Amino acid sequence: MSNTSVSAPSTPSTPAAPSTPALPRGRALWESFAPLVVDAVLPMAAYYALSKGFGLGTVAALGWSSALPAARTVWGLVKDRRLNGLAALILAVNIVGLLLSTVSGDARLMLAKDSAVSSVVGLVVLISAFGSRPLMTTGLKPWVVKGDPVRLAAWDRLSARDARFRRTERTFSLVWGTALLAECVARVVGAYTLPVDTMVWLGNVILGVAVVAAMLVGGGLAADPMEKMVDAEVGEGTEGASSVGTAAPTAYAGSAAQ
């Protein structure tokens, strides 16, 4: 009696889809944070460097530091036919600063005008929260995705299909906009009710408290939940890929047993 060996039926091989090589972690983080650095950090750093380091006047420092956000805003409109929200906001803040630089005389008015920048930022951030692209997402997204292409893809999938994810994303901008407007109101009230010498240092304290409160509340209501949602989405994607990889051998083993 001869043994007849049964060979597995050959399955035509499907060429694997070309995979995109993952970026190095440092480069991925830089590409995530680059818009925030270029559109917000550099213009502010340029203003302080020009005014404090090189002794330029307020008008000149604001004017020169507005060059980059102005260029970025125009470039976005020309190249992509869309408004670069963060660059436009920094440009608007600098324009407000230029207009307010002409205000002089009353000490209390001088203290109150410092809160105008916060009010502009707060209002724009609040308005953006009800649009398709909340402004504070520029700072939130890099912290959640951590420069990982897999987490970035999970963010994009959730943003496209998950209403809860988008609602939480808007909440982050609502928290920051509310905090900045509250800081503005507190500084204006303080400027006209407290001694001038007190408000000179208390104004900075109020700003610091508003920023810390926004970070804590925004983290608890938005950043942490969104990070967990992205983690869950990444986990589901990994499990789905594993199940697809094991389905074919399992099916063939069952048919061979029959």
Side-chain angles (χ1 to χ4, degrees):
M1 183 176 178
S2 60
N3 293 329
T4 304
S5 60
V6 180
S7 59
S10 60
T11 303
S13 59
T14 302
S19 59
T20 303
L23 293 173
R25 182 59 177 246
R27 183 180 171 188
L29 281 172
W30 164 247
E31 290 193 357
S32 295
F33 281 99
L36 183 63
V37 172
V38 173
D39 293 331
V41 177
L42 285 182
M44 287 188 290
Y47 168 75
Y48 285 108
L50 292 171
S51 61
K52 307 298 182 184
F54 293 93
L56 265 68
T58 301
V59 173
L62 283 170
W64 282 107
S65 63
S66 299
L68 181 58
R72 292 270 294 174
T73 302
V74 173
W75 177 252
L77 289 172
V78 173
K79 180 177 180 291
D80 301 324
R81 296 185 181 276
R82 67 178 179 84
L83 182 66
N84 185 322
L86 190 58
L89 174 60
I90 298 300
L91 180 61
V93 166
N94 284 359
I95 291 174
V96 171
L98 284 169
L99 295 175
L100 291 175
S101 65
T102 61
V103 176
S104 60
D106 183 60
R108 295 188 181 277
L109 180 59
M110 294 291 290
L111 287 172
K113 78 169 187 176
D114 291 338
S115 63
V117 170
S118 297
S119 66
V120 171
V121 176
L123 282 172
V124 174
V125 169
L126 275 177
I127 293 171
S128 74
F130 298 97
S132 59
R133 298 173 58 201
L135 199 59
M136 290 304 295
T137 298
T138 305
L140 172 65
K141 190 173 182 178
W143 289 109
V144 175
V145 303
K146 298 177 173 60
D148 186 347
V150 175
R151 296 179 65 83
L152 177 59
W155 173 294
D156 291 338
R157 290 194 300 271
L158 288 169
S159 182
R161 72 165 192 262
D162 194 316
R164 176 172 170 254
F165 186 84
R166 293 193 298 270
R167 188 165 58 249
T168 309
E169 180 185 359
R170 288 195 296 270
T171 298
F172 191 74
S173 287
L174 285 172
V175 169
W176 273 92
T178 302
L180 291 173
L181 282 180
E183 179 264 342
C184 168
V185 172
R187 291 178 73 172
V188 170
V189 171
Y192 286 96
T193 58
L194 297 175
V196 172
D197 292 341
T198 300
M199 276 306 299
V200 168
W201 62 266
L202 186 58
N204 293 326
V205 174
I206 293 173
L207 176 60
V209 170
V211 170
V212 172
M215 292 174 64
L216 293 175
V217 177
L221 294 180
D224 290 345
M226 292 179 75
E227 189 165 359
K228 291 176 181 177
M229 283 187 271
V230 169
D231 289 339
E233 179 67 20
V234 170
E236 289 178 5
T238 303
E239 291 175 3
S242 300
S243 63
V244 169
T246 58
T250 303
Y252 173 71
S255 63
Q258 294 174 357

